[in-house]
Amino acid sequence: MNSSTSNFINQTNSPQNLFVVNLGNFINQIGIFYISTTICVIGFILSTINLIVFLNPKLKGNTYKYFLSKTLAELLFLGIGAFYPYASCTTCPMHQSYAVVFFSAYFQRFVLYFAYFFIAICEVIVIYDRLIIFYNNPKMNLNFIVVIGTTTLISAMTFLPFLIGIVIQEITNRPGSFIVGRNEFGRTSSFLTYQTYITVVINVFV
């Protein structure tokens, strides 16, 4: 081992660098467990209030119905988000238990992404509905049942491969511990391409 490599290792393991790494991990844990959970819980409470408002029988317009549908998806999204820190905790007693891995595999992936995409589409629909009201053109009105049904179907089908391509596997020589693995379809190049595409779309456009 040459001197430059030795110096790099010594610098990496220096007390100052270890302090920075530990401080970063500590801040990250605070952000995940306290800030993220608090935001999701507060958002869930506020969305519940919105839900009560939009359930008022006097609010019969399509716009209110779209807001109601969007609020239900937000409740689903925030409810899952509130439990996200506990599913991602590697030092918690339930880490790699079947319940936690099941939640991570299916709720954090399919259901969370479904709700996220559904909310984004509803935002576009609400904008379109407001334009109809602004231009006062009833002929451009869309059927609420058809629109929400189509939106639900598109959102579900977009992320359906996540359900098909993964499987929960028990860790060898570690009874009671599980991980999210990939089945034969999940290891194909098509699935990997799909996963990359969805990740880019979610992070850039949604």
Side-chain angles (χ1 to χ4, degrees):
M1 182 170 60
N2 56 40
S3 59
S4 61
T5 304
S6 178
N7 291 333
F8 174 77
I9 294 175
N10 291 334
Q11 291 174 2
T12 304
N13 294 328
S14 66
Q16 292 85 357
N17 288 334
L18 290 176
F19 172 77
V20 172
V21 171
N22 291 333
L23 180 62
N25 290 335
F26 177 72
I27 295 174
N28 185 52
Q29 290 295 322
I30 291 177
I32 291 177
F33 276 94
Y34 298 102
I35 300 176
S36 175
T37 302
T38 302
I39 291 174
C40 286
V41 170
I42 294 175
F44 190 89
I45 295 172
L46 295 176
S47 293
T48 302
I49 296 174
N50 288 337
L51 179 64
I52 295 172
V53 172
F54 292 130
L55 283 174
N56 189 332
K58 296 180 180 179
L59 304 178
K60 297 181 180 180
N62 273 357
T63 302
Y64 299 112
K65 293 179 182 179
Y66 293 134
F67 273 121
L68 175 61
S69 302
K70 177 174 170 289
T71 301
L72 289 171
E74 288 172 345
L75 285 170
L76 183 62
F77 180 85
L78 293 168
I80 296 173
F83 289 97
Y84 172 80
Y86 303 97
S88 60
C89 176
T90 58
T91 58
C92 298
M94 292 186 65
H95 175 57
Q96 291 185 332
S97 66
Y98 185 84
V100 169
V101 174
F102 182 89
F103 177 84
S104 176
Y106 297 106
F107 282 85
Q108 284 187 345
R109 299 183 187 215
F110 177 75
V111 180
L112 192 70
Y113 283 178
F114 163 82
Y116 198 29
F117 201 64
F118 186 92
I119 292 168
I121 297 177
C122 281
E123 290 283 1
V124 176
I125 295 172
V126 168
I127 293 173
Y128 175 81
D129 194 68
R130 285 175 173 174
L131 289 174
I132 293 176
I133 296 173
F134 179 77
Y135 289 107
N136 193 22
N137 190 350
K139 293 181 179 180
M140 297 175 62
N141 276 328
L142 302 175
N143 184 281
F144 170 76
I145 300 298
V146 173
V147 171
I148 291 301
T150 303
T151 301
T152 302
L153 183 63
I154 291 174
S155 301
M157 293 301 294
T158 300
F159 302 103
L160 185 62
F162 275 117
L163 295 181
I164 302 174
I166 61 175
V167 62
I168 298 177
Q169 301 172 333
E170 188 171 16
I171 300 176
T172 307
N173 300 325
R174 290 181 60 185
S177 297
F178 299 86
I179 58 172
V180 179
R182 294 177 181 174
N183 54 25
E184 186 175 348
F185 170 70
R187 290 190 292 269
T188 61
S189 58
S190 299
F191 180 83
L192 296 177
T193 302
Y194 157 81
Q195 192 174 32
T196 303
Y197 170 76
I198 288 299
T199 302
V200 171
V201 170
I202 286 293
N203 286 283
V204 174
F205 298 102
V206 182

